[in-house]
Amino acid sequence: MKTVLFTGATGGLGMLCVRALSATGRWKVYASGTNEAALNDLAALPNVTPLHMDITQQASVNAALDTVRSQTDRLDAIAHFAGLSAFTPLVEGDSVEQIERLLSVNVTGAARVNRAFFELIHKAGGRIVHCTSESGWMTPQPFAGPYVLSKYAMEAYNDSLRRELMFLNIPVIKIQPGSYETKLTGQVSAGFDRTLASTRYFHDVLTKMKPMMAMELNQKNDPARLTRKVLRALEAKRPRIRYRVGTGKMLALLEFLPQKAIDRLYKVMLKFF
């Protein structure tokens, strides 16, 4: 049986993936997170060991490493699904604090875990899988700057790591999901409402933008498609560099336009000149 350390296991998509891995009977999962109630629920699944780990704290990561090492000296994979989102203009409110918060989880946390657990991955000849986002490769949307820049940074970290670990024959793979109905989308929606209520500069723009945002967030992508991609990334003998799933059609169309045309399109769509 193969072993995987799964971060963000107590989140919506993370928990679905852990359940799918458990159901295969092929994986022993160290399911990590900070939500104790969710960890207790995961403990009832076959071949799942809940693991309290705050990826923003080195001491917590070290303690989790000690726990895993007490049971195994190798890992066949690390899968990163820990992540936060935010919605705020970059020139107002707590935008700087949000940038720091999202980078600490979405990027630095993954780097901290990979460094700490790498010896176990190396010994098994394993692999590392990062869940990034369609926001990490698409043209950035307005008012989602902290989230977008964290995902762009995660894409760069993933690719840099891949080009280092290829010399050790350790695959580094990214999953680029679109929007799914999870707590993460709830964070974006709540952040939108808070920003709309407090903004000094963008009230008219955000009011007109709200229906567009709701349409994007309410996409009903099938989570089963995502779990299948994750299993493929973990089990394929020759995994792809990246797997995209649930890409937003409207946003994808923007990728065919020049940047200035996209700027003008946003202004036209929001009737703001």
Side-chain angles (χ1 to χ4, degrees):
M1 184 176 289
K2 291 189 174 183
T3 56
V4 58
L5 171 68
F6 209 102
T7 73
T10 56
L13 293 180
M15 186 174 285
L16 285 173
C17 291
V18 169
R19 291 184 183 277
L21 286 165
S22 172
T24 67
R26 299 188 295 270
W27 288 90
K28 177 176 176 57
V29 185
Y30 291 96
S32 72
T34 57
N35 184 320
E36 293 294 347
L39 288 172
N40 289 335
D41 290 341
L42 290 171
L45 297 175
N47 305 315
V48 173
T49 299
L51 189 67
H52 186 278
M53 181 169 65
D54 181 348
I55 65 174
T56 69
Q57 301 297 320
Q58 188 65 52
S60 182
V61 172
N62 291 344
L65 175 60
D66 289 342
T67 299
V68 173
R69 273 182 168 161
S70 71
Q71 300 179 27
T72 182
D73 64 349
R74 63 190 63 214
L75 284 171
D76 294 287
I78 300 174
H80 289 282
F81 268 69
L84 297 175
S85 186
F87 187 94
T88 182
L90 291 171
V91 293
E92 286 189 299
D94 63 348
S95 58
V96 173
E97 292 77 12
Q98 292 283 17
I99 289 170
E100 292 175 336
R101 185 174 73 101
L102 266 62
L103 286 173
S104 72
V105 173
N106 296 359
V107 186
T108 312
R112 181 177 290 110
V113 170
N114 288 338
R115 183 184 65 180
F117 284 84
F118 184 69
E119 182 181 347
L120 279 67
I121 287 288
H122 185 250
K123 189 166 186 177
R127 63 187 60 183
I128 298 172
V129 177
H130 297 117
C131 180
T132 62
S133 169
E134 64 183 7
S135 295
W137 63 271
M138 289 181 168
T139 188
Q141 302 171 53
F143 308 111
Y147 180 71
V148 171
L149 70 88
S150 76
K151 290 304 180 179
Y152 264 67
M154 190 63 207
E155 289 272 326
Y157 170 76
N158 178 94
D159 294 352
S160 296
L161 185 64
R162 186 184 74 247
R163 288 179 177 144
E164 291 181 11
L165 298 192
M166 68 182 183
F167 296 107
L168 301 177
N169 297 315
I170 294 174
V172 178
I173 306 137
K174 55 190 172 186
I175 311 287
Q176 298 170 318
S179 179
Y180 288 82
E181 192 174 358
T182 65
K183 290 180 181 179
L184 202 66
T185 54
Q187 292 173 13
V188 176
S189 182
F192 188 101
D193 291 339
R194 284 194 301 271
T195 299
L196 182 59
S198 63
T199 182
R200 291 178 56 197
Y201 305 112
F202 302 108
H203 188 272
D204 290 345
V205 175
L206 291 173
T207 299
K208 295 169 184 175
M209 187 178 179
K210 188 168 184 176
M212 297 167 54
M213 176 65 68
M215 183 171 61
E216 177 66 19
L217 292 179
N218 289 334
Q219 288 188 97
K220 301 299 182 182
N221 284 318
D222 181 6
R225 291 185 59 214
L226 176 64
T227 58
R228 287 195 294 269
K229 293 284 189 181
V230 173
L231 282 170
R232 195 172 303 166
L234 289 171
E235 296 183 339
K237 289 183 178 179
R238 296 180 179 84
R240 297 178 185 175
I241 289 174
R242 68 171 183 240
Y243 294 87
R244 290 179 180 168
V245 57
T247 302
K249 294 182 176 59
M250 288 182 60
L251 294 176
L253 288 173
L254 295 179
E255 299 306 306
F256 295 98
L257 299 175
Q259 291 297 310
K260 285 188 176 181
I262 296 172
D263 292 349
R264 180 165 179 79
L265 181 60
Y266 271 116
K267 283 191 171 183
V268 169
M269 291 174 69
L270 296 171
K271 298 179 182 178
F272 184 76
F273 293 89

